[in-house]
Amino acid sequence: MIFRQLYEPLSSTYTYLIGCEETGHAILIDPVIASMERDLAEMKRLGLTLAYTVDTHIHADHITAALEMKSAVGSKIAAPAYDHLPCTDVGIEEGKPFQVGSITLQPLHTPGHTDGHFAYLFNDRVFTGDALLIDGCGRTDFQNGAADALYSSVREKLFTLPDEILVYPGHDYNNRFVSSIAQEKKRNPRLGGEKTLEDFKEIMANLGLPYPKFIDYAVPGNRQCGVCPPDLPNNLENYCRQMAKSPQG
Ligand code: FE
């Protein structure tokens, strides 16, 4: 198994590359359109071809590379069936393993950050998207998010995985890379230890976070599996790959 944790700095997103050595096929979990060339170059360097892009949820802070990857290299698009996106090739559901070569993801419906959010359990690790971050979690105030749903998703689903399972988050804003179920259960300041649902709801209601600057462009774009809006303001241009300048045409 080939594994790479790739970082997109504008949105502090982690993209995960998993390659099957027997078939040479790869999947990318949460690829970002702005880092598409880098991801393609990495797969080429590793002798892998991209079979699927797999998103954890409809992102509000970046545009997925799913659709552009599909047109560039013919990869298929997998995303939670819950969201009913017409552009997906495979709708992911809990209880239905997602398999590419020797790679098998066990999808876990983990609503709360968004209602259709999924985490993916893969062997000794879990890709938690924005449901569970290292010492944190995704916000719950947009996209049908709900603090009580996220509390159950994390405490009753993710925290019931074995302690030694590695936690690979969808983002990190402080240069951390990986955690574990044991570590998050023990010291996650929002959801770990003895934190009750009431504690968590109070924390989430008082974060005082600003309105997400890219959400009004990202969500409609991601509902189309990754379309850059034509009316992007200058200060947000870097969030989209500039197609005209692309070395791949
Ligand atoms: Fe998110």
Side-chain angles (χ1 to χ4, degrees):
M1 190 261 293
I2 297 166
F3 177 70
R4 293 288 185 279
Q5 183 176 25
L6 303 161
Y7 181 69
E8 194 289 308
L10 266 176
S11 56
S12 300
T13 298
Y14 283 128
T15 296
Y16 297 99
L17 164 61
I18 309 173
C20 166
E21 278 157 296
E22 290 94 82
T23 60
H25 286 159
I27 66 169
L28 282 175
I29 298 176
D30 287 341
V32 181
I33 203 163
S35 291
M36 187 175 153
E37 305 300 342
R38 185 270 316 264
D39 296 355
L40 285 171
E42 183 67 2
M43 285 182 284
K44 193 173 177 191
R45 197 178 68 75
L46 293 165
L48 296 167
T49 54
L50 182 64
Y52 277 92
T53 57
V54 184
D55 275 282
T56 53
H57 63 293
I58 296 173
H59 307 280
D61 60 347
H62 67 267
I63 303 255
T64 173
L67 194 62
E68 290 297 329
M69 285 289 192
K70 183 175 187 166
S71 39
V73 296
S75 49
K76 290 189 172 145
I77 299 175
Y82 185 98
D83 290 319
H84 299 292
L85 302 184
C87 47
T88 54
D89 296 298
V90 172
I92 286 179
E93 294 173 69
E94 185 161 312
K96 274 201 204 167
F98 176 78
Q99 187 142 13
V100 174
S102 60
I103 304 161
T104 305
L105 303 183
Q106 303 289 347
L108 300 170
H109 187 207
T110 43
H113 172 62
T114 71
D115 52 354
H117 187 286
F118 270 71
Y120 301 113
L121 179 62
F122 171 62
N123 300 345
D124 63 347
R125 58 201 67 192
V126 61
F127 303 102
T128 54
D130 297 357
L132 178 63
L133 305 178
I134 299 172
D135 286 346
C137 63
R139 60 197 295 177
T140 53
D141 47 354
F142 292 100
Q143 299 180 276
N144 299 319
D148 47 357
L150 188 59
Y151 186 86
S152 309
S153 292
V154 172
R155 302 264 312 194
E156 289 161 25
K157 208 168 258 185
L158 297 176
F159 282 1
T160 57
L161 296 171
D163 273 355
E164 63 275 18
I165 293 284
L166 299 171
V167 169
Y168 281 97
H171 300 280
D172 193 81
Y173 305 94
N174 290 294
N175 304 304
R176 294 163 300 193
F177 296 89
V178 60
S179 179
S180 68
I181 294 296
Q183 180 169 308
E184 293 312 310
K185 268 163 74 175
K186 192 140 193 146
R187 51 170 249 190
N188 188 294
R190 297 182 186 174
L191 289 148
E194 303 300 313
K195 283 280 183 296
T196 65
L197 174 59
E198 289 316 307
D199 295 334
F200 181 60
K201 281 163 84 166
E202 196 180 324
I203 291 168
M204 296 312 284
N206 292 293
L207 289 177
L209 295 170
Y211 186 78
K213 61 182 172 184
F214 195 45
I215 188 170
D216 293 328
Y217 301 98
V219 170
N222 287 328
R223 292 200 71 86
Q224 299 169 77
C225 293
V227 172
C228 276
D231 55 342
L232 207 56
N234 285 348
N235 65 322
L236 297 175
E237 258 184 0
N238 287 341
Y239 282 83
C240 272
R241 181 164 161 264
Q242 299 303 295
M243 300 303 291
K245 294 177 194 156
S246 162
Q248 301 211 345

mmCIF file of all heavy atoms in Angstrom, residues 57-61 113-114 130 143 171, ligand 1:
data_model
loop_
_atom_site.group_PDB
_atom_site.id
_atom_site.type_symbol
_atom_site.label_atom_id
_atom_site.label_comp_id
_atom_site.label_asym_id
_atom_site.label_seq_id
_atom_site.Cartn_x
_atom_site.Cartn_y
_atom_site.Cartn_z
ATOM 1 N N HIS A 57 -17.239 15.276 2.202
ATOM 2 C CA HIS A 57 -18.453 16.092 2.322
ATOM 3 C C HIS A 57 -18.408 17.223 1.307
ATOM 4 O O HIS A 57 -17.418 17.367 0.591
ATOM 5 C CB HIS A 57 -18.601 16.639 3.745
ATOM 6 C CG HIS A 57 -17.515 17.572 4.186
ATOM 7 N ND1 HIS A 57 -16.211 17.189 4.386
ATOM 8 C CD2 HIS A 57 -17.533 18.902 4.478
ATOM 9 C CE1 HIS A 57 -15.486 18.224 4.785
ATOM 10 N NE2 HIS A 57 -16.256 19.276 4.841
ATOM 11 N N ILE A 58 -19.474 17.989 1.254
ATOM 12 C CA ILE A 58 -19.505 19.174 0.391
ATOM 13 C C ILE A 58 -18.766 20.286 1.131
ATOM 14 O O ILE A 58 -19.238 20.795 2.135
ATOM 15 C CB ILE A 58 -20.956 19.580 0.071
ATOM 16 C CG1 ILE A 58 -21.631 18.453 -0.734
ATOM 17 C CG2 ILE A 58 -20.997 20.888 -0.703
ATOM 18 C CD1 ILE A 58 -23.112 18.669 -0.963
ATOM 19 N N HIS A 59 -17.595 20.603 0.620
ATOM 20 C CA HIS A 59 -16.713 21.538 1.323
ATOM 21 C C HIS A 59 -17.161 22.987 1.133
ATOM 22 O O HIS A 59 -17.671 23.354 0.072
ATOM 23 C CB HIS A 59 -15.288 21.396 0.797
ATOM 24 C CG HIS A 59 -14.781 19.995 0.833
ATOM 25 N ND1 HIS A 59 -14.307 19.408 1.984
ATOM 26 C CD2 HIS A 59 -14.695 19.045 -0.129
ATOM 27 C CE1 HIS A 59 -13.956 18.164 1.721
ATOM 28 N NE2 HIS A 59 -14.169 17.907 0.439
ATOM 29 N N ALA A 60 -16.887 23.792 2.157
ATOM 30 C CA ALA A 60 -17.234 25.212 2.093
ATOM 31 C C ALA A 60 -15.998 26.095 1.969
ATOM 32 O O ALA A 60 -16.112 27.299 1.783
ATOM 33 C CB ALA A 60 -18.001 25.608 3.353
ATOM 34 N N ASP A 61 -14.809 25.491 2.070
ATOM 35 C CA ASP A 61 -13.590 26.306 2.140
ATOM 36 C C ASP A 61 -12.642 26.077 0.976
ATOM 37 O O ASP A 61 -11.587 26.690 0.910
ATOM 38 C CB ASP A 61 -12.862 26.032 3.462
ATOM 39 C CG ASP A 61 -12.470 24.572 3.599
ATOM 40 O OD1 ASP A 61 -12.955 23.742 2.814
ATOM 41 O OD2 ASP A 61 -11.659 24.267 4.494
ATOM 42 N N HIS A 113 -21.015 18.305 11.051
ATOM 43 C CA HIS A 113 -20.340 19.412 10.353
ATOM 44 C C HIS A 113 -21.188 19.763 9.130
ATOM 45 O O HIS A 113 -21.554 20.916 8.919
ATOM 46 C CB HIS A 113 -18.920 18.988 9.981
ATOM 47 C CG HIS A 113 -18.208 19.967 9.089
ATOM 48 N ND1 HIS A 113 -17.933 21.261 9.452
ATOM 49 C CD2 HIS A 113 -17.720 19.826 7.831
ATOM 50 C CE1 HIS A 113 -17.299 21.872 8.457
ATOM 51 N NE2 HIS A 113 -17.165 21.028 7.457
ATOM 52 N N THR A 114 -21.517 18.749 8.335
ATOM 53 C CA THR A 114 -22.610 18.830 7.362
ATOM 54 C C THR A 114 -23.468 17.589 7.606
ATOM 55 O O THR A 114 -22.995 16.621 8.214
ATOM 56 C CB THR A 114 -22.118 18.808 5.898
ATOM 57 O OG1 THR A 114 -21.629 17.489 5.590
ATOM 58 C CG2 THR A 114 -21.014 19.827 5.640
ATOM 59 N N ASP A 130 -13.957 16.610 8.362
ATOM 60 C CA ASP A 130 -14.069 17.717 9.320
ATOM 61 C C ASP A 130 -14.916 17.345 10.533
ATOM 62 O O ASP A 130 -15.251 18.204 11.341
ATOM 63 C CB ASP A 130 -14.672 18.955 8.645
ATOM 64 C CG ASP A 130 -13.791 19.474 7.526
ATOM 65 O OD1 ASP A 130 -12.698 18.907 7.309
ATOM 66 O OD2 ASP A 130 -14.192 20.452 6.866
ATOM 67 N N GLN A 143 -24.589 24.553 6.450
ATOM 68 C CA GLN A 143 -24.813 23.326 5.670
ATOM 69 C C GLN A 143 -25.512 22.226 6.463
ATOM 70 O O GLN A 143 -25.070 21.083 6.468
ATOM 71 C CB GLN A 143 -23.476 22.787 5.146
ATOM 72 C CG GLN A 143 -22.730 23.750 4.227
ATOM 73 C CD GLN A 143 -21.427 23.116 3.786
ATOM 74 O OE1 GLN A 143 -20.419 23.159 4.473
ATOM 75 N NE2 GLN A 143 -21.460 22.496 2.620
ATOM 76 N N HIS A 171 -8.347 18.708 7.901
ATOM 77 C CA HIS A 171 -7.577 19.958 7.963
ATOM 78 C C HIS A 171 -6.704 19.940 9.197
ATOM 79 O O HIS A 171 -7.021 19.248 10.182
ATOM 80 C CB HIS A 171 -8.488 21.188 8.149
ATOM 81 C CG HIS A 171 -9.483 21.406 7.061
ATOM 82 N ND1 HIS A 171 -9.164 21.990 5.869
ATOM 83 C CD2 HIS A 171 -10.803 21.126 7.004
ATOM 84 C CE1 HIS A 171 -10.251 22.070 5.114
ATOM 85 N NE2 HIS A 171 -11.266 21.545 5.785
HETATM 86 FE FE FE B 1 -15.640 21.210 5.723
#
